[in-house]
Amino acid sequence: MSMEDYDFLFKIVLIGNAGVGKTCLVRRFTQGLFPPGQGATIGVDFMIKTVEINGEKVKLQIWDTAGQERFRSITQSYYRSANALILTYDITCEESFRCLPEWLREIEQYASNKVITVLVGNKIDLAERREVSQQRAEEFSEAQDMYYLETSAKESDNVEKLFLDLACRLISEARQNTLVNNVASPLPGEGKSISYLTCCNFN
Amino acid sequence: MADKLPSEFDVVVIGTGLPESIIAAACSRSGQSVLHVDSRSYYGGNWASFSFSGLLSWIKEYQEENNGEEWTAWQELILETEEGVALRKKDQTIQHVEVICYASQDSDEHVEEVGAVQKNPGSVTSASTNDPPDSMVTACSDTSELTTPLSEPEAAREVPDVDVTLGNENHGGDTDCSQSPLEQEKAGNLPVGEDVVDAPKKNRITYSQIVKEGRRFNIDLTSKLLYSRGLLIDLLIKSNVSRYAEFKNVTRILGYQEGNVLQVPCSRADVFNSKKLTMVEKRMLMKFLTFCLDYEQQPDEYKAYEECTFSEYLKTQKLTPNLQHFVLHSIAMTSEESTSTLDGLRETQNFLRCLGRYGNTPFLFPLYGQGELPQCFCRMCAVFGGTYCLSHAVQCLVVDKESGKCKAIIDHFGQRISAKYFIVEDSYLTEKTCSNVTYRQISRAVLITDQSVLKADSDQQISILTVPPVEPGSEAVRVVELCSSTMTCMKGTYLVHLTCPSSKKTAREDLESVVQKLFTPYAEAELENEELKKPNLLWALYFNMRDSSDISRECYNDLPSNVYVCCGPDGFLGNKNAVKQTGMYSCSMSSFWNSALPCAYKPTSGTTSSPKPSLILIFLLKFSQNTLDPSDTLLRNVFSRVLDLNSLSSATEMLWLFPPYLFSQGQHNSLHNRCLIKNC
Ligand SMILES: Cc1cc2nc3c(=O)[nH]c(=O)nc-3n(C[C@H](O)[C@H](O)[C@H](O)COP(=O)(O)OP(=O)(O)OC[C@H]3O[C@@H](n4cnc5c(N)ncnc54)[C@H](O)[C@@H]3O)c2cc1C
Ligand SMILES: Nc1nc2c(ncn2[C@@H]2O[C@H](COP(=O)(O)OP(=O)(O)O)[C@@H](O)[C@H]2O)c(=O)[nH]1
Ligand SMILES: [Mg+2]
């Protein structure tokens, strides 16, 4: 694990109501696919994509909800040590927008208070069925001090931008907190956790 | 949100404690469709961890009168050919809840936890979670007898500004002020001396600070540690569930002797560096411990004492009373009166073998608390398609009269959900089902203190301390002290868990004497004599929890054969019981799988047809519940071989390495490979 080739590793976590397109966004970004209306993805914990930003390799570990959002039963441990949260709603579904405050409360309680949150309105390819205006979402995101972006996982609109902008912000954030932040010391999300538990160091 | 649950699953699991969650993950991983529900709004049942406000709501819930309400609506919903086994509406596993606040309370202030939300235990059953916290404390069952919260205006004035987080206060203008919990966590991991907090002496922590910083607390209902070579660690690694959690090594083993808390040397380096031991003692201890590491090789050394207790055996060894005490209480952690020589040797060996895998003690503690673990298994289950529903109660099990099997549940909406197997946590069963069961009780105390029981260079220590029984017949008390870098308490405080089997009437009666030995109630704390002072007690909670472990299946009345019961947490330090009952041991029986049940797990080539995981499941469940045919000696023999420590490491392998036929090949291969690599 120590030999892995990257300068930064960040854990990004998606949340939002079921059906807003979280899984599709991840798939689109990591695999370039838009899977036709398929159920929950089975067996996938997180997806990884390494991107290069200004010559630096940034490994993004992107976690999906595993369907636990459907009945509002996301485990708290899902939020732990996330560096960024993508809070997603569906622009064609008023309900998914109205649930945002509920999601924000969960974030506030379980996520690190330094987490970067991005609000994403997905499915802009269905503009004719829009129920949530851009202005409303902008106002909301400003009030909550979040970045805001509209995307289409289907048409691949703004999906790259979403993750790359996020990666840039995470890098500059990491730089500010620097001192400890290099590959040698475990980055959040990676940590002592997995690698720690698996390498047996006999004294 | 009006999403409706599907009405058919392979397995329904009721309760999200550790054993249920492991089973749910295993079932889901081996291809079963799983519905996992919990009537509470949080994961973990009695294995849960809470923020401070969450814990206050939990307390409130258990202090409410139980009005004996039962589910009744289901009676209209079952057919004539069916029978209902009602489940419990309100949990009864927690008793004698008492709260005492020693820290000063600014009564005129209305404080609330930052970011406190509805998602805590109180939100479902009790009306309001927004009461001022003070009222929750005074709401405790027998207020009259309790120490009334002490008001200490002087101390209160010392706190400059309640709006400032404690961290900031302590750092002053330091750049560390802006640290996120993640960074703080890192800071906590830095070597001794890097730690930034040394404020407790200067600042007295008030109740309102605790409430305000309540989110920093993750308070375990059940206090356990993980043996670094134990089954649970094994399972976490094999299943890859370990990546959902982070752990810290326990840093110190402490002993209690003649009123003093001392550090117990246990690793080779510890023994040699110890200033407390004489050269002769060091040699004696090393010799004995070296022998214990492979005592089986030298049966002559202990054969004659097999009938004796371990403590008697220790007296015959060349060990000073000092050393005997530490080996008995702090290393083997066994009882003076009842542990046999062999058990004691085995425990000592287990301890020694666990040393050095991750650090200088054999134990690990999960960051954010024990409550993370069931959740991690639940995520694993969900990742493989399991459906999750918290705050979802079940009214009854529906049993088919003719076959005697359970065929469905009826949930609180009256929806009927059918399944082939049902796994129910003990606490959901009613008195009717459990009338023949006698439960033991565990006594628990949770304390918030301002200093460690044994001060050291670093204030970020995680310690386990065994306090031997005060009088013969009473029980040793296990104390686990957690520092803030475990992410279970706010900076400048320690979270102390006490556990012992209940012998008196209430947890407080069992544990208060030990609490008084180790801590000073905050009010009495004078500022004189800083050096000798015991840590101050800021807040204390006592309660009894039901121990439903080791109950044989026959004790439950009218349990259909396809309903399996999982027990709640036991009082032991390790998680052996929890893991063992999930039938994981059976998975190492590769020869059995290969010969008897090949079709059970080998996918038919070329097709995606399901490989009958139900067979595996039946087997696992029967096995874990001891309902396998007793005449099946082959199985019994294999089982007893599994208990051999050498094969324990492979014990859990089979289940997690079932061909992941649910993976669509190419895409998830890398994930699977990771699993394999991790198993090296
Ligand atoms: C008399 C006695 C009874 C105990 N009962 C329990 C209990 O019911 N639940 C509990 O969690 N802890 C119990 N303990 C403590 C327990 O032995 C372990 O220290 C602890 O549970 C470690 O669990 P683990 O899963 O991390 O370790 P593991 O790796 O599972 O095992 C630790 C040690 O226990 C031995 N062992 C494993 N299974 C059994 C078994 N079925 N019977 C006897 N020995 C076994 C192993 O060989 C090993 O030496 C008991 C200790 C004593 C002395
Ligand atoms: N038109 C359109 N449909 C989308 C888009 N993203 C997702 N969907 C569809 O929305 C549904 C739910 O998507 P999914 O990613 O599973 O949502 P999740 O529950 O949030 O993970 C699927 O039927 C997708 O095909 C999008 O950008 N445009
Ligand atoms: Mg999804």
Side-chain angles (χ1 to χ4, degrees), chain B residues 224 226-227 229-232 334 339 343 346-347 349-350 550 570 572-577 580 585 643-645 648:
Chain B
K224 283 182 180 290
L226 286 80
Y227 277 78
R229 290 190 189 282
L231 278 179
L232 186 55
T334 50
T339 310
D343 280 342
R346 202 189 49 228
E347 289 305 315
Q349 183 189 53
N350 182 33
D550 286 333
D570 64 20
F572 290 101
L573 179 61
N575 290 284
K576 189 156 68 187
N577 256 338
K580 217 168 66 181
Y585 274 4
L643 285 181
D644 180 277
L645 195 74
L648 271 180

Side-chain angles (χ1 to χ4, degrees), chain B residues 394-405:
Chain B
V394 176
Q395 298 194 42
C396 75
L397 306 170
V398 181
V399 182
D400 182 60
K401 276 183 185 161
E402 196 183 301
S403 66
K405 292 216 163 159

